[in-house]
Amino acid sequence: ASRIPGPKRASSPEPEVRAQCVSSARWDLCGGRPDPIELRAVSTATDITTDPLIKLMQHSILVESRREQWQEATGKVRRARAWDSSQTLVEQAYAAAIAKRWNHINKPDKAFKPKPYWLATGILLDSESERYLLDVTDKRIAWMQNTMPETEG
């Protein structure tokens, strides 16, 4: 007979800490309260396809990609970001939106007076901050479009 190495137990094994419980009302049986970040991640149930900043960042990435191509074609200094062919548009927009939100938390623009805060850490800011980031992104898109000629096609 084969023997499985490990300590011998006289009683039944103890439940694992943080095991999945059927009843969310009995968190005490699961090894304690969940971390606040775990609660936020579950409670937000964010759908990135409906996030307004991610949608706007998709448009921004497309415009910036056209700008980069225009800069290259006209011999201008390339400052615009090129399209990343290793990622989908949604992946690039998601990363850009999250970066924009973290930057806003870490170093808000001087023009933004209230203190920004997370509603869901890493995912969603307070409504005033979200509106501000949408406005700033919209203005940047308009600036990029206005500083390069319309493409023919």
Side-chain angles (χ1 to χ4, degrees):
S2 66
R3 185 168 126 67
I4 299 173
K8 295 180 183 177
R9 293 191 180 187
S11 62
S12 61
E14 295 177 31
E16 287 185 31
V17 175
R18 307 300 300 247
Q20 291 292 323
C21 293
V22 176
S23 171
S24 60
R26 294 300 312 264
W27 55 264
D28 56 320
L29 297 177
C30 299
R33 290 186 186 273
D35 293 329
I37 290 178
E38 290 173 356
L39 286 174
R40 280 192 291 272
V42 170
S43 67
T44 58
T46 303
D47 179 4
I48 64 171
T49 61
T50 60
D51 182 313
L53 186 57
I54 293 174
K55 282 184 169 191
L56 191 57
M57 290 308 296
Q58 289 179 36
H59 182 58
S60 176
I61 288 165
L62 293 173
V63 171
E64 189 164 11
S65 177
R66 283 196 307 272
R67 183 175 177 76
E68 184 271 336
Q69 292 169 357
W70 170 75
Q71 287 172 338
E72 184 175 338
T74 59
K76 300 210 180 282
V77 176
R78 287 176 39 194
R79 293 197 171 110
R81 186 177 10 185
W83 176 263
D84 182 354
S85 60
S86 69
Q87 293 183 327
T88 67
L89 177 60
V90 173
E91 289 170 333
Q92 291 179 63
Y94 178 76
I98 296 303
K100 191 171 267 302
R101 287 174 172 137
W102 276 104
N103 288 338
H104 185 66
I105 283 287
N106 291 329
K107 191 174 181 185
D109 288 346
K110 290 179 182 177
F112 188 78
K113 297 301 178 196
K115 182 169 176 42
Y117 59 92
W118 292 110
L119 293 179
T121 304
I123 299 170
L124 185 65
L125 292 170
D126 61 279
S127 59
E128 206 168 344
S129 292
E130 289 289 330
R131 277 193 303 276
Y132 180 78
L133 293 178
L134 288 169
D135 185 52
V136 167
T137 304
D138 230 0
K139 287 178 181 173
R140 184 168 186 276
I141 291 169
W143 173 82
M144 286 190 290
Q145 290 173 326
N146 290 333
T147 56
M148 62 180 177
E150 292 291 320
T151 57
E152 296 173 11

